[in-house]
């Protein structure tokens, strides 16, 4: 009600690191202090040379409710901790080096609220442990200004199979029937195909001698989108399909990548960092977490209860790692109040990340975290409605996993029979409508002295004495899965790194490797 216009605030923060991270310079020392910071103001003074073009103010993600003011004028608000939002600020900017004042109010009750919070837990600041970690409040993805012409490309929708590209562009301020949109496809710097259509119209472009995208060969084409009025953007796409099919061998359902069965062997990724929490300390850190999957022989990552910045998916697209993408859950204590926030977050996740070829499957629910709130007679959405919504929103016809490891998995909807088994993998069976997947298993933990969040307080599902024991135990588990390959099409090991006191990673929390080169080779071969 009373924004601090013209007032110097009492401390500084390094954006875009969340308040609770060390890198923010604002990390609270207790849960009590964290709760005191649930309502916060940000203030930034900046200068900009104002030209003739429109200017947009973008926010990658802010957790959770945000109100934005520029030069004392209220721009608007946004609710949602994982999706981006923007405002046009052209007429409010001060010209030619004069100071602009940006004021942002953020409210984030974290796990005290009804919104999907993933693995965040305020009490973890005082009492780390379990499978929830330090929370993340405020700005945690990049904030930036962009200049655009009067008529500009707001977004594009890409759908590419193994032969053709279907693409459309959404424009802002078009207002005329004379505008044309050109789509030009390049491979290795050479234009190989293209089309010109009206705005909002889907262009269907045949790709000659199409090269498919896969983990073994993550081929990407460049795409240049140009308006006849002058605006132009550069994008890219990969050509691939991931479809459920009947396979004669064993007579089971399999997920087929580009028409061929490829076993999806991956690990669970919470995507947390000890210094930045939700926010990686650098782009190299984002890329490292994708690269390291391939070095261990993985071709897939299940991103768990979090939506990452676009750059993470860009690296997955380029390096060739398939992504099973979770919808963020209200982890424990979901109610009917959770439902509209969940639906919003899942909808925006699919809309904002849906062009990435690396994402091949959506996970709508996880275990018992959230889905039961959708079973009340008064609920606007049922579990079946959420699965149908995910399929209707996705223009690439991806597969949908109803409930990874939970009882809603038993409902006759979705494409996956997904079970969780700790520590040893069991034998889920495919059905006439679903392929079989071990959505989580393992949790093997070798605790490394000097690498624990709290010394000597690590825990896990299966404690072993040394990293070598961890590697050998994992290798034996893969042999069990291999013996059941007639049934199983995908598996997800828990997990890539230790996270706070959950110490079952192949890597320590600081991303140092637990294993020797010999261990890594054994794991990769397995």
């Amino acid at each position: 009600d009373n924004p601090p216009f013209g007032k110097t605030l009492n401390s500084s923060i390094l954006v875009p690191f969340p308040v609770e991270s060390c890198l923010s310079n604002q990390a609270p020392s207790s849960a009590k202090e964290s709760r005191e910071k649930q309502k916060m103001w940000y203030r930034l003074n900046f200068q900009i040379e104002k030209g003739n073009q429109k200017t947009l103010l973008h926010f990658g993600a802010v957790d959770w409710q945000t109100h934005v003011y520029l030069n004392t004028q209220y721009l608007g608000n946004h609710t949602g901790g994982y999706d981006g939002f923007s405002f046009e600020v052209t007429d409010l900017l001060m010209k030619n080096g004069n100071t602009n004042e940006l004021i942002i109010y953020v409210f984030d009750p974290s796990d005290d609220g009804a919104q999907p919070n993933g693995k965040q837990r305020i009490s973890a600041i005082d009492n780390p442990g379990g499978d929830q970690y330090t929370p993340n409040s405020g700005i945690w993805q990049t904030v930036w200004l962009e200049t655009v012409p009067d008529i500009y490309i707001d977004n594009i929708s890409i759908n590419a199979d193994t032969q053709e590209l279907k693409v459309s562009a959404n424009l802002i301020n078009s207002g005329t029937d004379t505008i044309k949109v050109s789509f030009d496809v390049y491979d290795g710097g050479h234009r190989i195909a293209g089309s010109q259509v009206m705005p909002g119209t889907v262009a269907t472009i045949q790709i000659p001698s199409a090269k498919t995208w896969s983990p073994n060969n993550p081929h990407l084409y460049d795409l240049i989108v140009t308006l006849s009025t002058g605006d132009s953007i550069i994008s890219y796409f990969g050509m691939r399909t991931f479809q459920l099919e009947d396979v004669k061998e064993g007579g089971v359902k399999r997920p087929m990548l580009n028409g061929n069965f490829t076993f999806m062997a991956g690990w669970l990724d919470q995507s947390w960092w000890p210094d930045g929490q939700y926010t990686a300390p650098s782009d190299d850190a984002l890329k490292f977490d994708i690269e390291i999957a391939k070095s261990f022989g993985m071709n897939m990552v299940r991103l768990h209860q979090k939506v990452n910045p676009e750059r993470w998916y860009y690296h997955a697209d380029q390096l060739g790692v398939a992504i099973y993408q979770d919808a963020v859950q209200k982890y424990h204590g979901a109610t009917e109040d959770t439902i509209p926030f969940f639906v919003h977050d899942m909808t925006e996740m699919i809309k904002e990340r849906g062009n990435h070829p690396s994402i091949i499957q959506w996970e709508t629910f996880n275990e018992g975290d959230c889905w039961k709130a959708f079973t009340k007679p008064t609920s606007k959405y049922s579990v079946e409605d959420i699965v149908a919504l995910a399929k209707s929103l996705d223009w690439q016809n991806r597969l949908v996993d109803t409930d990874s490891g939970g009882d809603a998995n038993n409902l006759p909807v979705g494409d996956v029979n997904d079970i969780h088994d700790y520590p040893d993998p069991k034998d889920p069976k495919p059905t006439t409508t679903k392929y079989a997947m071990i959505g989580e298993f393992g949790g093997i933990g070798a605790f490394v002295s000097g690498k624990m969040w709290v010394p000597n307080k690590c825990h896990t599902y299966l404690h072993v004495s040394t990293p070598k024991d961890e590697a050998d135990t994992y290798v034996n588990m893969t042999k069990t899965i291999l013996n059941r390959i007639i049934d199983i099409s995908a598996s997800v090991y828990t997990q890539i790194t230790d996270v706070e006191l959950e110490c079952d990673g192949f890597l320590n929390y600081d991303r140092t490797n637990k294993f020797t080169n010999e261990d890594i080779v054994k794991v990769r071969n397995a």
Side-chain angles (χ1 to χ4, degrees), residues 259-462:
N260 300 301
F261 173 59
T262 300
F263 190 93
M264 288 294 153
W267 56 24
L268 200 69
D269 188 358
Q270 315 280 357
S271 208
W272 236 274
W273 284 264
D275 47 4
Q277 300 295 338
Y278 255 21
T279 307
S282 67
D283 185 60
D284 285 342
L286 281 176
K287 184 177 182 181
F288 174 86
D289 278 11
I290 296 295
E291 287 178 321
I292 200 70
K294 301 211 79 170
S295 75
F296 277 106
M298 306 293 184
N299 61 6
M300 178 262 285
V301 169
R302 180 184 169 202
L303 185 61
H304 195 36
Q305 303 213 33
K306 186 188 176 198
V307 181
N308 264 343
E310 290 275 11
R311 291 288 297 184
W312 186 83
Y313 302 91
Y314 165 77
H315 294 308
D317 293 340
Q318 281 220 319
L319 295 170
V321 174
I323 304 300
Y324 283 16
Q325 174 65 55
D326 280 21
V328 184
Q329 311 290 297
K330 170 59 183 171
Y331 198 71
H332 302 315
T335 66
E336 289 185 78
D337 291 339
T338 301
I339 291 176
F341 300 130
F342 177 92
V343 170
H344 169 271
D345 285 1
M346 188 188 79
T347 298
E348 294 307 307
M349 174 188 74
I350 294 173
K351 286 182 178 179
E352 292 188 7
R353 300 294 183 263
N355 285 336
H356 289 281
S358 58
I359 300 176
I360 60 175
Q361 182 169 294
W362 305 113
E363 317 282 310
T364 50
F365 294 104
N366 179 74
E367 295 182 346
D369 302 330
C370 194
W371 68 269
K372 290 181 181 177
F374 293 78
T375 62
K376 305 284 178 64
T378 54
S379 297
K380 183 177 179 182
Y381 291 87
S382 65
V383 172
E384 292 86 350
D385 291 336
I386 294 299
V387 173
L389 178 62
K391 284 186 170 290
S392 69
L393 290 169
D394 182 68
W395 51 91
Q396 291 195 2
N397 301 312
R398 292 177 176 91
L399 299 183
V400 175
D401 184 350
T402 302
D403 183 17
S404 184
D407 288 345
N409 174 68
N410 299 324
L411 297 173
V413 291
D415 304 303
V416 192
N417 178 25
D418 181 346
I419 66 170
H420 291 181
D421 293 309
Y422 286 105
D424 295 303
K426 290 196 173 80
D427 189 8
K429 302 294 184 181
T431 72
T432 57
T433 59
K434 299 180 180 184
Y435 80 85
M437 167 179 164
I438 302 172
E440 294 179 26
F441 77 99
I444 312 161
F447 307 159
V448 179
S449 178
K451 298 294 184 180
M452 302 184 203
W453 193 239
V454 178
N456 303 315
K457 294 293 185 180
C458 273
H459 64 87
T460 188
Y461 296 93
L462 176 62

Side-chain angles (χ1 to χ4, degrees), residues 445-449 452 458-460 463-465 470 498 503-504 514:
F447 307 159
V448 179
S449 178
M452 302 184 203
C458 273
H459 64 87
T460 188
H463 180 219
V464 294
S465 298
E470 181 175 346
D498 294 352
C503 301
D504 46 15
K514 291 183 181 180

